[in-house]
Amino acid sequence: MARNPDSVLSCVDMNGDVLADGVLTYAFRQLLRNNGYVHVVNVPESFDHVDFLKEMGEFQPTSTGTVVGDVKPERGMDDVNHGQNRGGLTPHTEGYEFHGLPPRYLGLWCVNPPAGQGGETTIFDGNRILTEFTDGERVHLRDTAYSWGSTEGLARHGVRPTAEHPVLEEHGDETIFRFSSNYLVIPDGDEVARRVIDRGNELFTDGHIAVRYQRHDLLVWDNWRMLHSRNAFEDPERHLKRVQIAA
């Protein structure tokens, strides 16, 4: 069952005055660290999303090379799993199909919210999945290299990345959790990996947060921790901007 966001930051105070840059940044980073995501609301038209997000780290190009990309429906893509259509997406983290570290943070902001039902970005804390696994099972997920594929939508554009990574990876004092409902290749007999995906999808369905956008809203989450997906929608004018931010 979907929950409303509980890590929300307003760009204006109770008097309607825009927060000072230092106050906004402090509150944003505190919420992101504590909760794994932040939904920024009451964003003024003059707000520079790119400039604000650049303070978090270097932007990484997406699979098609875009650095600041558009997320809006492409014609003729509604029949495949693809981020650029109107269909729903299954829970996943970003960047598992590429070599090296996945993006640390993802940022989306709203250019034009969808009319009608659907179109919410949905997120869930992966730490809640990992609490159901023993220390020994987590070691297995760290020590096993799995194959990861990519979407049919990317394949239509000639992009077919694959990579091998563990589900869990230690990076300094941080843990990277990779997750894909569709594109993790689970070896025969690997019941731990199978349970990660099955139980992860169950918990996501039961407890995800659904972010409904207003114009200029900003959503940022920790991609090493949080799973995300999207609800299907009908309005072809839904338009978000998207960046990936390196560790």
Side-chain angles (χ1 to χ4, degrees):
M1 180 179 296
R3 298 187 292 118
N4 291 323
D6 56 6
S7 185
V8 182
L9 175 61
S10 173
C11 277
V12 300
D13 63 18
M14 65 183 67
N15 294 320
D17 297 325
V18 176
L19 297 178
D21 289 347
V23 174
L24 182 67
T25 299
Y26 169 77
F28 176 89
R29 290 183 179 273
Q30 186 178 50
L31 287 172
L32 183 61
R33 181 174 60 252
N34 291 342
N35 303 318
Y37 80 99
V38 187
H39 180 202
V40 185
V41 301
N42 300 322
V43 181
E45 188 170 353
S46 60
F47 187 80
D48 190 329
H49 297 80
V50 170
D51 188 60
F52 181 79
L53 292 171
K54 278 185 174 179
E55 295 298 318
M56 299 180 64
E58 181 179 353
F59 290 176
Q60 290 182 313
T62 67
S63 54
T64 57
T66 56
V67 178
V68 180
D70 293 294
V71 181
K72 55 185 180 180
E74 292 182 27
R75 291 183 182 272
M77 298 295 281
D78 280 349
D79 63 320
V80 293
N81 187 27
H82 187 46
Q84 303 284 78
N85 64 17
R86 294 179 294 177
L89 298 177
T90 56
H92 62 286
T93 60
E94 208 71 28
Y96 50 76
E97 72 272 49
F98 290 93
H99 304 295
L101 296 177
R104 179 62 195 268
Y105 302 107
L106 262 67
L108 293 171
W109 64 94
C110 182
V111 177
N112 190 53
Q117 298 297 312
E120 299 88 356
T121 297
T122 53
I123 55 178
F124 183 77
D125 192 343
N127 288 339
R128 293 176 59 189
I129 301 169
L130 296 177
T131 59
E132 299 200 356
F133 290 79
T134 66
D135 290 343
E137 289 170 333
R138 293 192 194 193
V139 168
H140 174 77
L141 295 171
R142 286 196 296 268
D143 289 349
T144 305
Y146 295 94
S147 296
W148 305 78
S150 62
T151 69
E152 298 87 341
L154 287 178
R156 283 194 180 175
H157 290 298
V159 181
R160 297 177 176 85
T162 60
E164 289 193 356
H165 299 287
V167 170
L168 298 180
E169 181 179 350
E170 301 304 318
H171 183 70
D173 59 355
E174 301 278 357
T175 297
I176 300 168
F177 181 22
R178 293 181 176 90
F179 187 97
S180 171
S181 299
N182 299 330
Y183 301 108
L184 168 63
V185 180
I186 300 176
D188 290 342
D190 192 332
E191 296 303 323
V192 177
R194 169 52 57 197
R195 188 155 56 88
V196 167
I197 302 305
D198 290 346
R199 187 60 179 145
N201 283 323
E202 290 172 357
L203 290 170
F204 194 103
T205 298
D206 291 342
H208 66 266
I209 292 161
V211 176
R212 179 75 178 175
Y213 294 100
Q214 300 294 323
R215 196 178 305 275
H216 307 308
D217 277 7
L218 170 65
L219 176 64
V220 179
W221 67 91
D222 183 343
N223 182 56
W224 291 3
R225 170 180 171 182
M226 308 293 289
L227 282 59
H228 69 282
S229 66
R230 180 187 68 213
N231 291 335
F233 60 98
E234 293 295 331
D235 185 3
E237 300 303 315
R238 179 186 186 267
H239 183 191
L240 307 179
K241 289 283 191 177
R242 178 182 186 271
V243 295
Q244 301 183 150
I245 304 171

